[in-house]
């Protein structure tokens, strides 16, 4: 395929919680407000940041991960974006060199210049030392510059820049602004659709960038890709009902596109609001926040009846993480409040005060292996024996369990369907 050139910038940081998402969203909104077509990507598995970035840019945000997606998938998505974008932004995950593969690995492979966001609160001249370490730790990385975040004053900004060499430059010193901050909860940022004044916050953050060096377009990058493989119509004529509301929103856009490319007809329903399932051949319950909607989910007995009928008819039901919690006998939140769920999978889960599962994994489903990840704060107690366990991408120990009951498959594991479309199709076939 012919290479495509487009200005591109990779936003990174020395650690999590430096403000990468806010800065990336602000930059996307700034250029969008100027009439530019902006495409944003998020490294690593993430269901929350992409919807903020989508709101900022006006376009679907896809994930990039060299292990989960594979190099060909990453290259194909960037190549496609470069065909009609004026700017490509990639937001990194964690710190620049954290993880295997890391944001640095992806940026180096793709040749995208880096801009590091550094939380400067409580810091002065040491800012230069952190910046120098990031830029020099791995030779060969292209650094576009640095962004000082949460700056207290003009004097503070001057102190930060004192010992910073002119190259790479300080692109912006952004002031702390609570009115532009993105709210968080236990799994990360609050969902975009739940932040009533999100557009105002994004515009306010974008305004800070206007008169800085960060506001200019970064250098162009040439993006290459290989020809994609043909997608067999394995799901032609299959109608898949997918849960989608504020309780069940953790699904990769690439998963939905893969199902459609396999020939499936996608239908959507809300476990919070709908009393019936769409006329369907299979059900997909993605992850989300069922623990925040215990009473509403428990009270929707009409949909419970419909899902039980779906299972009694032997039709496939695939559930991930929050979707699996909805299948259980009961679910409890951190305050001890508990409610009956669907009763399709024996067991009880309770929200914990600390992370219970995290990391990239690969699961062997009956139809083949899929790559993906796990990230959850609940602990499940069930007498049901798993039919398989995922393997971790790195490190020792077994991964998440896969449970089967009749035509139901459920796990904490979040699958990335493009990693094996044939295996993904098997999840929704009798």
């Amino acid at each position: 395929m012919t290479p495509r050139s487009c200005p591109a910038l990779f936003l990174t940081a020395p650690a999590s919680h430096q403000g990468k998402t806010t800065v990336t969203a602000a930059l996307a909104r700034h250029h969008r407000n100027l009439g530019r077509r902006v495409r944003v990507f998020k490294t690593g598995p993430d269901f929350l940041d992409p919807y903020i970035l989508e709101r900022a840019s006006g376009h679907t945000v896809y994930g990039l991960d060299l292990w989960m997606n594979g190099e060909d998938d990453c290259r194909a998505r960037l190549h496609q974006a470069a065909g009609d974008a004026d700017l490509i932004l990639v937001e990194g995950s964690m710190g620049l060199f954290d993880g295997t593969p890391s944001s640095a690995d992806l940026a180096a492979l793709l040749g995208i210049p880096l801009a590091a966001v550094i939380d400067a609160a409580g810091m002065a001249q040491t800012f230069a030392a952190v910046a120098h370490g990031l830029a020099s730790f791995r030779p060969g990385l292209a650094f576009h510059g640095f962004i000082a975040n949460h700056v207290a004053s003009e004097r503070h900004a001057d102190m930060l820049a004192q010992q910073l060499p002119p190259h790479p430059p300080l692109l912006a010193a952004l002031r702390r602004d609570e009115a532009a901050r993105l709210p968080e909860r236990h799994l990360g940022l609050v969902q975009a659709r739940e932040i009533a004044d999100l557009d105002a916050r994004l515009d306010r953050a974008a305004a800070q960038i206007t008169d800085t060096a960060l506001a200019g377009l970064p250098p162009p990058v040439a993006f290459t890709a290989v020809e994609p493989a043909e997608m067999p119509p394995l799901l032609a004529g299959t109608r898949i009902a997918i849960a989608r509301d504020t309780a069940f929103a953790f699904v990769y856009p690439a998963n939905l596109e893969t199902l459609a490319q396999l020939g499936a007809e996608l239908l959507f329903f809300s476990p919070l609001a709908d009393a019936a399932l769409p006329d369907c051949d299979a059900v997909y319950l993605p992850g989300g926040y069922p623990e925040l909607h215990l009473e509403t989910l428990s009270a929707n007995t009409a949909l419970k009846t419909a899902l039980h009928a779906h299972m009694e008819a032997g039709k496939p039901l695939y559930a991930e993480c929050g979707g699996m919690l909805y299948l259980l006998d009961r679910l409890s939140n951190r305050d001890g409040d508990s409610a009956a769920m669907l009763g399709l999978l024996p067991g009880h889960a309770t929200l914990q005060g600390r992370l219970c599962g995290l990391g990239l994994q690969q699961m062997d489903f009956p139809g083949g292996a899929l790559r993906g990840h796990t990230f959850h704060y609940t602990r499940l107690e069930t007498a049901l024996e798993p039919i398989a366990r995922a393997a971790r991408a790195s490190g020792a120990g077994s991964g998440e369990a896969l449970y089967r009951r009749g035509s139901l498959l459920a796990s904490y594991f979040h699958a990335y369907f493009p990693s094996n479309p044939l295996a993904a199709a098997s999840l929704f076939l009798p």
Side-chain angles (χ1 to χ4, degrees), residues 47-70:
F47 296 115
L48 294 167
D49 296 5
Y51 288 110
I52 300 286
L53 299 171
E54 177 181 313
R55 189 77 159 267
S57 65
H59 293 280
T60 301
V61 174
Y62 296 95
L64 302 175
D65 185 274
L66 288 175
W67 188 84
M68 189 172 76
N69 300 51

Side-chain angles (χ1 to χ4, degrees), residues 33-262:
N33 287 345
L34 293 176
R36 293 182 176 130
R37 296 164 297 179
V38 185
R39 299 293 184 275
V40 187
F41 295 84
K42 178 70 173 73
T43 64
D46 196 320
F47 296 115
L48 294 167
D49 296 5
Y51 288 110
I52 300 286
L53 299 171
E54 177 181 313
R55 189 77 159 267
S57 65
H59 293 280
T60 301
V61 174
Y62 296 95
L64 302 175
D65 185 274
L66 288 175
W67 188 84
M68 189 172 76
N69 300 51
E71 181 180 335
D72 286 352
D73 186 71
C74 291
R75 287 192 181 279
R77 295 186 185 284
L78 288 162
H79 182 266
Q80 183 178 28
D84 65 355
D86 300 307
L87 172 65
I88 289 174
L89 299 174
V90 181
E91 183 198 338
S93 61
M94 302 183 292
L96 175 57
F97 303 104
D98 297 330
T100 306
S102 66
S103 292
D105 294 329
L106 185 64
L109 179 74
L110 300 171
I112 303 176
L114 292 150
V117 180
I118 303 173
D119 184 348
M123 189 186 295
Q125 290 85 354
T126 303
F127 180 89
V130 175
H132 173 75
L134 289 172
S136 62
F137 182 78
R138 179 169 169 174
L141 289 177
F143 258 86
H144 186 61
F146 301 99
I147 301 154
N149 202 20
H150 302 147
V151 176
S153 63
E154 289 298 325
R155 182 172 179 273
H156 186 200
D158 290 341
M159 294 169 70
L160 296 171
Q162 274 179 16
Q163 296 184 21
L164 195 67
H167 300 289
L170 181 63
L171 298 170
L174 306 177
R175 300 286 287 272
R176 181 184 297 279
D177 185 357
E178 284 299 311
R181 188 179 65 84
L182 299 174
E184 299 184 56
R185 59 161 69 105
H186 59 281
L187 291 181
L189 294 177
V190 171
Q191 296 180 89
R193 69 176 75 183
E194 296 181 76
I195 307 173
D197 62 343
L198 179 57
D199 285 307
R201 290 172 184 263
L202 294 172
D203 285 331
R204 188 175 177 97
Q208 278 212 56
I209 288 171
T210 303
D211 296 323
T212 70
L214 183 61
L217 285 173
V221 175
F223 294 101
T224 60
V226 297
E227 290 287 346
E230 287 289 325
M231 195 79 77
L234 298 177
L235 293 177
T238 302
R239 295 161 60 88
I240 302 175
I242 303 168
R244 183 166 69 179
D245 55 25
T246 54
F248 301 97
F250 294 180
V251 61
Y252 297 116
N255 279 16
L256 303 183
E257 291 178 7
T258 298
L259 294 177
Q261 289 163 1
L262 288 163

Side-chain angles (χ1 to χ4, degrees), residues 300-430:
N300 193 349
T301 54
L303 185 63
K304 177 178 179 179
T305 299
L307 285 164
H308 274 258
H310 178 90
M311 291 295 301
E312 288 162 7
K315 295 180 178 181
L317 188 157
Y318 172 62
E320 295 180 336
C321 203
M324 179 180 70
L325 302 182
Y326 182 42
L327 296 175
L328 298 174
D329 295 321
R330 297 194 71 80
L331 177 60
S332 299
N333 63 23
R334 198 176 295 166
D335 297 326
D337 301 319
S338 178
M341 293 289 105
L342 293 175
L344 288 170
L345 193 69
H348 177 198
T350 304
L351 187 65
Q352 306 293 306
R354 60 196 296 264
L355 200 60
C356 298
L358 172 68
L360 295 167
Q361 299 187 8
Q362 178 170 301
M363 178 74 80
D364 288 325
F365 288 91
L370 282 160
R371 290 189 169 187
H373 85 287
T374 182
F375 184 79
H376 61 94
Y377 275 77
T378 55
R379 190 174 303 282
L380 170 63
E381 295 179 10
T382 178
L384 194 62
E385 287 296 319
I387 63 167
R389 281 196 175 273
R392 298 181 184 276
S394 60
S398 61
E400 297 293 357
L402 176 65
Y403 299 100
R404 166 178 264 167
R405 193 182 195 198
S407 57
L408 173 159
L409 281 171
S411 177
Y412 274 120
F413 175 79
H414 292 277
Y416 184 70
F417 292 172
S419 67
N420 187 342
L422 304 186
S426 73
L427 299 174
F428 302 99
L429 292 171

